[in-house]
Amino acid sequence: MIYEEHLRAAESAAWSIETIRWSAIDRAVARAEPEILSSLRDAAMIEGYLPTFAPRLMLLLWDDVDATAILSLELYEGLKHYTALRRYLDVVGEESSRVTEQSLVAAREKTSGITYSRSEIITYLTHFMCSELFAAHFFRRLGERTREPVLAELLGYMSRDELRHSAGAGALLKKRIAVNPEVVDEILAAAENFRHYGSDVVDVPLAEENDFDAIMAMNRKIRRLCGLAPTEHLEEEFIK
Ligand SMILES: [Fe+2]
């Protein structure tokens, strides 16, 4: 059921790489925004990490069919994001922000020693949910900042995709809470120690720690799931 609902949402919101107006990209405007190009490169590296990151999680979650299905959607749409970002950077043609196959392979290579433990599944799912939410805010903010119209349009699509991905992870956690309400404590602890999985491959993670909007959105999301937000949980800890 979880998969069907999210597959339906993905299909009805689907955009095609071919509908992006590649030939209308204003290269001069894009090149005048080197910080944005560098952020896009980081984002492309993170999206290009999905074919090794998602299977690592999937193998741990093999007995949760919904989870493997949601991660398959993530993998499919993440690769689409990678392809779109790489193509955008190729068209802009600024050498320092180009993503090459070798650079992606080198970034993936750095992660080859990472192993996940099955006992920490809730933590990974929570970090995954929050990472997607931060990515949604990151793309939205970047889309508002850029003066290059094709990029703004592309980032709008991608930001909405990331919101759906975060909702998918939220549905998986909700299912686990229904089976065992005690996992709420693990979710809260994981949210308090949030780490973006993108920091496995890039030095500067997609989300900055002072991303106030994203932090507030994460609080709301966790509160909806757990009945308590991470900040409130921390306050309770102090009172004890
Ligand atoms: Fe995603």
Side-chain angles (χ1 to χ4, degrees):
M1 277 307 279
I2 290 179
Y3 179 56
E4 282 185 32
E5 186 189 330
H6 286 270
L7 180 63
R8 212 168 23 247
E11 286 179 339
S12 66
W15 51 277
S16 158
I17 294 262
E18 295 316 313
T19 60
I20 304 298
R21 298 171 298 124
W22 301 107
S23 58
I25 293 172
D26 190 328
R27 294 167 70 202
V29 170
R31 285 178 181 209
E33 298 176 337
E35 271 182 35
I36 290 182
L37 294 180
S38 153
S39 296
L40 294 179
R41 188 182 189 275
D42 280 351
M45 296 299 256
I46 295 172
E47 302 283 11
Y49 171 43
L50 279 165
T52 49
F53 167 77
R56 194 190 304 137
L57 257 186
M58 245 192 262
L59 286 173
L60 278 190
L61 293 158
W62 64 273
D63 54 354
D64 182 340
V65 176
D66 275 322
T68 53
I70 290 289
L71 284 165
S72 303
L73 277 178
E74 172 66 33
L75 190 51
Y76 167 67
E77 293 192 320
L79 254 288
K80 191 164 144 185
H81 291 182
Y82 164 75
T83 305
L85 288 168
R86 185 178 167 175
R87 187 154 164 188
Y88 184 85
L89 292 169
D90 274 349
V91 173
V92 171
E94 189 63 62
E95 229 29 69
S96 61
S97 55
R98 265 211 163 111
V99 179
T100 62
E101 195 163 325
Q102 295 96 301
S103 59
L104 179 58
V105 169
R108 285 184 185 175
E109 200 168 15
K110 283 200 304 186
T111 70
S112 60
I114 299 177
T115 50
Y116 280 178
S117 148
R118 197 166 150 91
S119 62
E120 289 182 77
I121 278 175
I122 296 292
T123 300
Y124 307 135
L125 279 177
T126 307
H127 286 181
F128 172 55
M129 176 180 77
C130 297
S131 298
E132 297 297 305
L133 191 61
F134 270 74
H137 281 266
F138 174 82
F139 286 145
R140 200 201 62 195
R141 221 179 30 244
L142 219 51
E144 286 165 359
R145 257 176 61 200
T146 184
R147 290 176 51 245
E148 204 293 294
V150 178
L151 179 61
E153 196 180 315
L154 174 62
L155 289 169
Y157 290 133
M158 291 184 8
S159 171
R160 286 189 287 276
D161 288 348
E162 302 299 0
L163 275 185
R164 265 191 301 103
H165 299 167
S166 183
L172 298 176
L173 285 169
K174 198 173 165 191
K175 183 176 154 186
R176 283 172 186 260
I177 294 170
V179 174
N180 175 16
E182 285 181 12
V183 300
V184 157
D185 287 339
E186 269 178 83
I187 296 174
L188 284 165
E192 281 160 20
N193 298 298
F194 169 54
R195 179 182 179 276
H196 197 296
Y197 66 79
S199 47
D200 291 348
V201 285
V202 290
D203 293 334
V204 185
L206 262 184
E208 295 132 32
E209 273 182 34
N210 59 1
D211 189 340
F212 189 69
D213 281 354
I215 290 167
M216 292 311 286
M218 185 172 102
N219 262 325
R220 286 195 298 274
K221 199 162 192 88
I222 298 286
R223 190 190 288 114
R224 273 201 300 276
L225 272 176
C226 303
L228 200 66
T231 45
E232 293 158 354
H233 186 240
L234 281 173
E235 279 164 23
E236 277 199 358
E237 294 279 305
F238 278 124
I239 293 163
K240 271 180 200 168

